[in-house]
Amino acid sequence: MNKLFYVSLLALLSAGFFNAGSHTAKAINNEAGRAIMAVVAHPDDELLMGALLSHYATRGVKVHVVVATNGALGQTDFFKVPEGKTLAEIRRSEMSCSGNVLGLEKPIWLGLPDQLLATDGKLQSQIDLLRYKIDSLFQLYKPNAVLTFGAAGMTGHPDHRLIGNVVTEVFESKSWPWKPKLFYPALPTGSINDNSWAAYLTVDSSHLTVRIGLDSIDYARLGQAYQCHKSQYRESVRIKLPLFMKRVQKGQVMLRPFSSTGPLKNSLF
């Protein structure tokens, strides 16, 4: 009886899990060798999409994170390092730590100042430089998918909004030969309680038509990555935020795709 039971169990496992494994292996094989480029504003912004980036990195996808600014103005009241070069160096180290945890490629630093010298009247020249650098990186790395901030910047931060806008501008400025796709990760409207301690701007789910399933390992790596950014988050927040993100996302990251495909039209309606 026991022998028959184990033979039957083995047959069921083989039939069920082998097929599931084949589908997973096929998906991984289709993704391996491809490249993702996430363009963010600050060293720690990768955390906003960290579980997704780690998910793909562990499946053989090269994941590049482009960090636009040096983070020198990111001083917090609990981390007693003033704004300036030393803080920028600390944040650079924190970003490298986070990237290692998430399995990302070495960060790509554009080295622009926080706020892009807006208060010095040099914003336009910084935007021009940013546009040039992003265009050059697209051509150098030829990413299959590009991730950046949507209109709200996820948190509403002006730098997030500006970076996302410039990335979109570059993306839509030409027809790229390798046909990359552009996506804006977001949290769906209604997923966050109005009284929540974590402030995020959301997007209606009808616009979030790309949804990527994640698992506990992806969120575990995100939790470890948060621990790298000690200058930006108190210990209690470093623990709470990845748990909050896992609860809100409910096992999937939702994204709004940039789309310009479809038949030509001669009317707005």
Side-chain angles (χ1 to χ4, degrees), residues 152-187:
M154 290 191 77
T155 66
H157 195 297
D159 286 357
H160 293 191
R161 293 177 172 185
L162 180 59
I163 297 305
N165 184 71
V166 174
V167 172
T168 302
E169 177 188 351
V170 172
F171 181 86
E172 66 184 9
S173 68
K174 62 187 73 174
S175 177
W176 303 93
W178 60 94
K179 306 300 181 185
K181 297 179 180 179
L182 175 62
F183 302 95
Y184 309 99
L187 298 177

Side-chain angles (χ1 to χ4, degrees), residues 44-51 78 94-95 97-99 101-102 154-155 187 197-198 200 218-246 249:
D44 80 317
D45 287 343
E46 82 287 349
L47 297 174
L48 292 170
M49 52 190 87
F78 58 86
E94 290 176 342
M95 172 67 211
C97 168
S98 173
V101 169
L102 297 173
M154 290 191 77
T155 66
L187 298 177
W197 59 273
Y200 291 93
D218 300 320
Y219 288 104
R221 291 195 183 96
L222 177 63
Q224 294 171 21
Y226 263 98
Q227 293 302 319
C228 294
H229 289 282
K230 293 180 172 60
S231 74
Q232 299 302 295
Y233 305 96
R234 297 179 186 274
E235 182 177 5
S236 60
V237 178
R238 295 198 305 269
I239 295 172
K240 290 169 63 177
L241 267 178
L243 296 175
F244 166 84
M245 195 65 71
K246 181 179 181 180
Q249 291 180 330

Side-chain angles (χ1 to χ4, degrees), residues 125-234:
S125 64
Q126 293 297 298
I127 290 176
D128 292 342
L129 179 58
L130 176 62
R131 184 193 302 118
Y132 169 77
K133 288 189 173 186
I134 292 173
D135 188 292
S136 299
L137 288 173
F138 279 8
Q139 297 187 58
L140 177 63
Y141 288 94
K142 296 180 173 56
N144 303 103
V146 177
L147 306 179
T148 194
F149 297 114
M154 290 191 77
T155 66
H157 195 297
D159 286 357
H160 293 191
R161 293 177 172 185
L162 180 59
I163 297 305
N165 184 71
V166 174
V167 172
T168 302
E169 177 188 351
V170 172
F171 181 86
E172 66 184 9
S173 68
K174 62 187 73 174
S175 177
W176 303 93
W178 60 94
K179 306 300 181 185
K181 297 179 180 179
L182 175 62
F183 302 95
Y184 309 99
L187 298 177
T189 299
S191 63
I192 302 175
N193 189 296
D194 291 340
N195 298 321
S196 174
W197 59 273
Y200 291 93
L201 299 179
T202 59
V203 175
D204 189 85
S205 60
S206 64
H207 302 299
L208 304 176
T209 56
V210 176
R211 305 179 183 190
I212 312 298
L214 303 180
D215 58 33
S216 295
I217 296 176
D218 300 320
Y219 288 104
R221 291 195 183 96
L222 177 63
Q224 294 171 21
Y226 263 98
Q227 293 302 319
C228 294
H229 289 282
K230 293 180 172 60
S231 74
Q232 299 302 295
Y233 305 96
R234 297 179 186 274

Side-chain angles (χ1 to χ4, degrees), residues 1-11:
M1 178 67 71
N2 287 340
K3 183 176 180 181
L4 179 59
F5 170 79
Y6 284 116
V7 170
S8 300
L9 178 61
L10 180 60

